[in-house]
Amino acid sequence: DGGITQSPKYLFRKEGQNVTLSCEQNLNHDAMYWYRQDPGQGLRLIYYSQIVNDFQKGDIAEGYSVSREKKESFPLTVTSAQKNPTAFYLCASSIEGGSNIQYFGAGTRLSVL
Amino acid sequence: GQQLNQSPQSMFIQEGEDVSMNCTSSSIFNTWLWYKQDPGEGPVLLIALYKAGELTSNGRLTAQFGITRKDSFLNISASIPSDVGIYFCAGHPNTGANSKLTFGKGITLSVRP
C-alpha cells in the first residue's frame, strides 16, 4: 500500500537526550513536512523539504533538526535544546507544484520522562 | 504571516443534526482544503477546492470555496457519532515556489447520541 509511515507511535525522551522520529513515504512525493500539534494550537510547521538534500526552517524550527538524504525519508531529531518537546508530531508529503494536497502519517506522540 | 480563522474551538451537536463550519482569512487563497483528524491519528483529506464559488460534495459533506477567495465553508448533514473529530481548513496561495499551505487551528466536533 502507498502511504506515509511514521515510527514509533509513542516515544519517551529523558532529560538531555536527543530522539529521532522516523518518516518514510512510498508515494514518490517530492516535498515532505514536519508539524507539531499541541492542544488548541493547530498544526505548526517545524521544517520542510522540497527536494533531496535541501530543507527549510518552518515557523518553530528551534530545537529541531532534519535531514533529507533520500526522497523517501525525512527524519526529525528533537534535540536537548528543545525544552518543551511533549507534543504530537505529524509528517506529511505532497507533490511539488501539484494539487497542494498534503498527505499525513499517523503521527508520533512524544513525551518527556 | 497568513492566518486562517476557525471558530468556535469546539462544537457540540445532537446526532442527526446538520452542522456548518467556516474558515476565514485576511489574505486570498487559491486552494482550500478541508481535513478531518480522528483522535491519535493524522489528518485525512475530506474535500479539495480550486475555484472561487466551487461547491463540492463528498457523501454527507459539502464544502464551498468563497467568492472573495478569503473564506470557505464545510457543511455536515445528518451527523453520526463517527463524525467526531477535529476539522481543519487549510489554504494555499499558489503564489510561487516558496508559498506554503496554512492551516486553521481546527474545530473539535462532538456528537451526542
Side-chain angles (χ1 to χ4, degrees):
Chain A
D1 283 355
I4 302 174
T5 302
Q6 289 188 241
S7 63
K9 183 66 177 176
Y10 301 95
L11 187 58
F12 297 91
R13 192 190 92 166
K14 295 180 181 178
E15 291 287 338
Q17 188 181 40
N18 293 353
V19 292
T20 298
L21 284 62
S22 171
C23 179
E24 304 276 332
Q25 55 97 1
N26 59 6
L27 300 169
N28 200 33
H29 285 174
D30 304 298
M32 297 185 74
Y33 311 81
W34 275 106
Y35 293 91
R36 171 178 172 144
Q37 185 176 25
D38 296 282
Q41 296 276 346
L43 304 179
R44 292 187 289 170
L45 184 64
I46 304 173
Y47 268 99
Y48 65 102
S49 169
Q50 295 171 301
I51 194 170
V52 174
N53 292 322
D54 187 47
F55 48 82
Q56 310 295 330
K57 290 182 179 180
D59 301 317
I60 56 164
E62 186 174 351
Y64 300 97
S65 66
V66 293
S67 63
R68 188 86 187 276
E69 298 176 1
K70 298 187 299 182
K71 188 176 186 178
E72 301 80 18
S73 180
F74 191 40
L76 173 74
T77 297
V78 184
T79 74
S80 57
Q82 172 50 247
K83 297 306 179 187
N84 184 23
T86 297
F88 192 53
Y89 291 86
L90 288 161
C91 178
S93 70
S94 68
I95 298 173
E96 195 60 13
S99 63
N100 299 318
I101 295 172
Q102 291 185 14
Y103 298 88
F104 287 85
T108 293
R109 185 164 298 280
L110 176 62
S111 302
V112 177
L113 290 175
Chain B
Q2 295 168 324
Q3 289 186 326
L4 291 181
N5 301 307
Q6 288 186 266
S7 65
Q9 188 173 353
S10 301
M11 298 181 77
F12 299 87
I13 61 173
Q14 198 76 30
E15 182 177 358
E17 289 182 342
D18 300 345
V19 61
S20 294
M21 306 176 189
N22 71 332
C23 183
T24 62
S25 170
S26 57
S27 306
I28 287 175
F29 288 100
N30 292 305
T31 295
W32 287 92
L33 307 174
W34 284 91
Y35 288 86
K36 182 197 176 198
Q37 183 181 28
D38 290 330
E41 299 294 329
V44 174
L45 181 72
L46 298 173
I47 293 178
L49 302 159
Y50 297 103
K51 186 177 178 181
E54 180 182 357
L55 187 71
T56 297
S57 293
N58 178 7
R60 293 178 296 106
L61 279 60
T62 301
Q64 185 162 23
F65 190 139
I67 291 290
T68 65
R69 293 188 286 162
K70 292 185 178 181
D71 56 13
S72 180
F73 307 89
L74 176 71
N75 296 303
I76 304 173
S77 63
S79 60
I80 60 178
S82 62
D83 290 334
V84 165
I86 304 176
Y87 290 81
F88 290 100
C89 62
H92 197 292
N94 288 359
T95 53
N98 292 322
S99 57
K100 298 188 296 293
L101 200 59
T102 299
F103 286 86
K105 292 189 176 182
I107 293 176
T108 300
L109 180 66
S110 299
V111 179
R112 289 187 290 260

